Amino acid sequence: MAAIIPRATHRHPVRVSSSKGPSTHRLREVLAAYLLLAPAAVLVLGVLAYPLGWVVWVSLTDRAVSSPAVHFVGLRHYLLFLSDPGFWRMAANTVGYIAVTAVFKLALGVGIALALARPFPGRPLVFLAAFLPWAYPASVALLGWYWFMTPPVHASYGAFMGGLRVFVDTRLGDGAWGFLSLALFNIWRGGSFTGIFLLAALNGIPQDLFDYAVLEVKARWRWFWMVAVPLLRPFLALAAFLSFGTAVVDLGNVWLQSGQRIVYPIVWSRAMRDALFGGQWGRASALSLILMPVLVAALVVCFRLFEPLEEDPA
């Protein structure tokens, strides 16, 4: 009995000291991590979270420039929009514009990345030509593109473009040609960025995987669908999410470059007009947020696709 007690008393302080050491070190690491993340957290909360929270609050009120008094109205603006057929047309145009431009930008970007993945004569010049649409200033490029699609003065291509504009507007509605030109500009510029982005992703994947896939898969389209797409899946998801933002930004660019005259039947461009011209801040805030569930759902899908591929159990 006397031999057991000293051994127990000898082990007790050793066990306590060993448990306190790692826990204290871990606590210091966690505190250091939070201190390092604090500036970024303050920036995100100040730049993103606070403005978003303010817009959500304003959308629940009747704030307007013409009335100094502000009253809480709850979901009245949202319910009015949901019962308005004009809103559903704008929502369909918005979702269609984002979906179509995203698909074409991904297709164009994949083509650019695969074309530039292997060396060939003149590859640096092709790389510069592919990267130029994104590197060029967006405001200048947008203005030049718009006037190219809608010539303001007599030019060699003016008659052809004018006739094409009348043809499209007659069959699809007034302003359809201008909206199509905006979509083409977004695809032209966003496809360039997507291509360079996916090219960097291809360069980060070991070439041995592609060489082995060439030996196993003979058809080129099967190689692309069964090998290239799964390996590029996280990068395609991230590129699709980034394309949503550029599509919305171009709407604001064309509105500013046209001197606040051109407003397409899109939810967010109408929200800007109602806020800045009509002074209806509550209504405009609700209109800018009403498609938030659709964007959140797209974000969730992109994040799910962004997760790394799971390995098959052996």
Side-chain angles (χ1 to χ4, degrees):
M1 189 67 180
I4 297 176
I5 294 176
R7 294 185 63 182
T9 55
H10 176 69
R11 289 180 180 178
H12 186 267
V14 175
R15 187 179 303 160
V16 173
S17 62
S18 62
S19 61
K20 286 185 177 180
S23 61
T24 305
H25 181 68
R26 178 61 178 171
L27 181 60
R28 291 178 179 176
E29 290 182 347
V30 172
L31 291 177
Y34 278 112
L35 289 176
L36 292 175
L37 288 175
V42 172
L43 180 63
V44 171
L45 292 176
V47 176
L48 296 179
Y50 173 75
L52 180 60
W54 186 83
V55 172
V56 172
W57 164 250
V58 172
S59 68
L60 302 176
T61 65
D62 60 351
R63 181 183 292 271
V65 176
S66 59
S67 176
V70 179
H71 304 90
F72 180 80
V73 296
L75 300 177
R76 186 179 69 182
H77 295 306
Y78 296 94
L79 296 177
L80 290 176
F81 285 130
L82 294 178
S83 61
D84 183 11
F87 162 76
W88 290 108
R89 287 193 296 269
M90 288 191 299
N93 293 336
T94 305
V95 175
Y97 165 71
I98 293 178
V100 170
T101 54
V103 170
F104 278 95
K105 281 186 286 189
L106 287 178
L108 181 60
V110 169
I112 293 174
L114 294 178
L116 296 175
R118 294 296 182 90
F120 57 87
R123 182 172 179 265
L125 296 179
V126 177
F127 178 85
L128 291 176
F131 188 67
L132 185 61
W134 177 257
Y136 205 73
S139 58
V140 180
L142 178 61
L143 187 61
W145 182 275
Y146 180 80
W147 289 128
F148 170 75
M149 300 291 289
T150 311
V153 295
H154 178 71
S156 58
Y157 60 90
F160 173 77
M161 299 298 286
L164 188 59
R165 176 184 181 183
V166 173
F167 176 81
V168 173
D169 287 348
T170 302
R171 283 156 178 79
L172 299 180
D174 188 25
W177 176 251
F179 184 65
L180 178 62
S181 66
L182 175 62
L184 291 176
F185 169 78
N186 184 255
I187 294 171
W188 171 71
R189 188 166 179 265
S192 171
F193 169 76
T194 304
I196 303 303
F197 179 77
L198 294 180
L199 178 61
L202 282 175
N203 292 332
I205 299 175
Q207 186 61 35
D208 296 342
L209 297 177
F210 294 108
D211 295 337
Y212 179 77
V214 171
L215 298 177
E216 294 293 328
V217 181
K218 300 302 180 181
R220 188 69 176 176
W221 70 271
R222 288 176 59 86
W223 171 88
F224 169 75
W225 187 253
M226 299 178 63
V227 179
V229 170
L231 291 175
L232 290 175
R233 189 191 71 177
F235 306 99
L236 289 171
L238 182 58
F241 176 70
L242 294 176
S243 70
F244 298 157
T246 59
V248 177
V249 168
D250 284 339
L251 293 172
N253 287 337
V254 71
W255 186 71
L256 292 174
Q257 292 296 324
S258 63
Q260 304 175 355
R261 294 189 304 271
I262 300 177
V263 180
Y264 293 111
I266 298 294
V267 169
W268 295 300
S269 62
R270 290 296 178 89
M272 289 188 295
R273 187 190 66 176
D274 291 346
L276 300 181
F277 287 169
Q280 301 294 326
W281 290 96
R283 173 186 171 87
S285 299
L287 186 58
S288 64
L289 293 174
I290 198 168
L291 290 182
M292 187 64 69
V294 178
L295 295 179
V296 171
L299 178 61
V300 170
V301 172
C302 290
F303 270 116
R304 293 285 296 176
L305 296 176
F306 189 74
E307 295 178 356
L309 297 175
E310 296 182 358
E311 296 182 358
D312 295 333

